[in-house]
Amino acid sequence: MDTVARAPYILQQVREDNTKSESRFLANDLFRITSQYGEEIILKRIFDIIGVSDNPWCVEFGAGEQAWNVHSFLLEGWRGVLIERDPDKFKMLSICYKNMPRINLFNLSISFHGATSLNNLFKTTDIPRDFDIISIDIDGNDYHVWNLLTDYRSRVVVIEFNPRIGNDVIFVQAANFEISEGCSLRALIELGKSKG
């Protein structure tokens, strides 16, 4: 049997930063205050540009122990709705906001329909039909819950998507709380467009 001498394989990943310098205006501010990836800094910059409503409200679910994305807004006096299903995390959330009656706390799982849908849950609060921020992080059904929010409208949406799916693909997992595949960024862009 003849053997062929082969050169070793070469495998190399070359990373280049193709970001335009004018697109990096937030880079120096993206340090973690309470949010995981600097979301609250980005939100503050957004509201520097678009302005805050006369009656600022924010919503976050799963809020975790401190409502990471909207915490600094709540400390500045905004009103809020915070939803967390995990009892231990909700206990910490309740301690964090115990002396703030302007914040509505709910220990429950969001549903697509019925009393614990966002439309019906918001009706039990004073939140206006048009409010400032909603942060949706429920590991999978984020698209479906936002899609079904029809009676209320948020000026800014922070929402989780599946970054492993290409930006040119529209993918939405089945509406099932037993699945946590999420959706693609493109699916959320199209949903946002359909909501105006």
Side-chain angles (χ1 to χ4, degrees):
M1 176 188 250
D2 294 330
T3 59
V4 178
R6 297 182 182 198
Y9 291 99
I10 297 174
L11 177 63
Q12 182 179 6
Q13 183 176 16
V14 179
R15 293 182 183 248
E16 293 182 31
D17 184 356
N18 295 319
T19 307
K20 295 179 181 178
S21 59
E22 61 268 21
S23 298
R24 299 187 55 80
F25 68 96
L26 288 173
N28 295 333
D29 294 334
L30 290 181
F31 55 90
R32 183 174 186 258
I33 294 178
T34 59
S35 58
Q36 189 174 13
Y37 297 109
E39 292 90 343
E40 69 184 301
I41 299 302
I42 295 168
L43 288 169
K44 286 187 180 293
R45 286 292 183 97
I46 289 170
F47 285 102
D48 284 346
I49 295 167
I50 69 172
V52 176
S53 67
D54 293 335
N55 182 20
W57 276 78
C58 55
V59 174
E60 185 161 345
F61 64 96
E65 300 90 353
Q66 193 176 343
W68 306 109
N69 292 337
V70 300
H71 178 70
S72 61
F73 295 95
L74 295 170
L75 292 180
E76 291 171 8
W78 288 37
R79 298 189 68 189
V81 176
L82 304 177
I83 306 163
E84 176 54 53
R85 71 181 174 117
D86 180 276
D88 294 328
K89 290 179 181 178
F90 183 77
K91 182 178 179 182
M92 296 302 294
L93 191 68
S94 298
I95 292 169
C96 184
Y97 297 105
K98 70 180 176 185
N99 295 320
M100 298 182 179
R102 69 183 184 283
I103 301 170
N104 301 269
L105 301 172
F106 295 94
N107 182 204
L108 51 83
S109 293
I110 294 297
S111 62
F112 298 126
H113 304 287
T116 58
S117 71
L118 285 181
N119 288 314
N120 289 326
L121 189 62
F122 287 174
K123 289 175 186 171
T124 69
T125 72
D126 294 329
I127 193 168
R129 297 269 181 204
D130 295 303
F131 59 98
D132 288 288
I133 304 171
I134 189 166
S135 178
I136 305 171
D137 182 358
I138 56 172
D139 299 329
N141 285 284
D142 311 70
Y143 176 98
H144 298 294
V145 171
W146 185 33
N147 184 38
L148 293 170
L149 182 61
T150 55
D151 297 343
Y152 296 84
R153 181 181 165 116
S154 177
R155 296 174 66 210
V156 176
V157 178
V158 179
I159 190 165
E160 188 173 58
F161 67 94
N162 187 333
R164 293 181 299 267
I165 302 169
N167 291 343
D168 56 346
V169 175
I170 295 176
F171 171 81
V172 179
Q173 76 162 51
N176 182 336
F177 284 104
E178 301 300 315
I179 301 172
S180 60
E181 296 171 334
C183 67
S184 66
L185 178 59
R186 174 64 61 156
L188 291 171
I189 290 169
E190 298 304 320
L191 178 58
K193 287 178 183 177
S194 74
K195 288 178 165 285

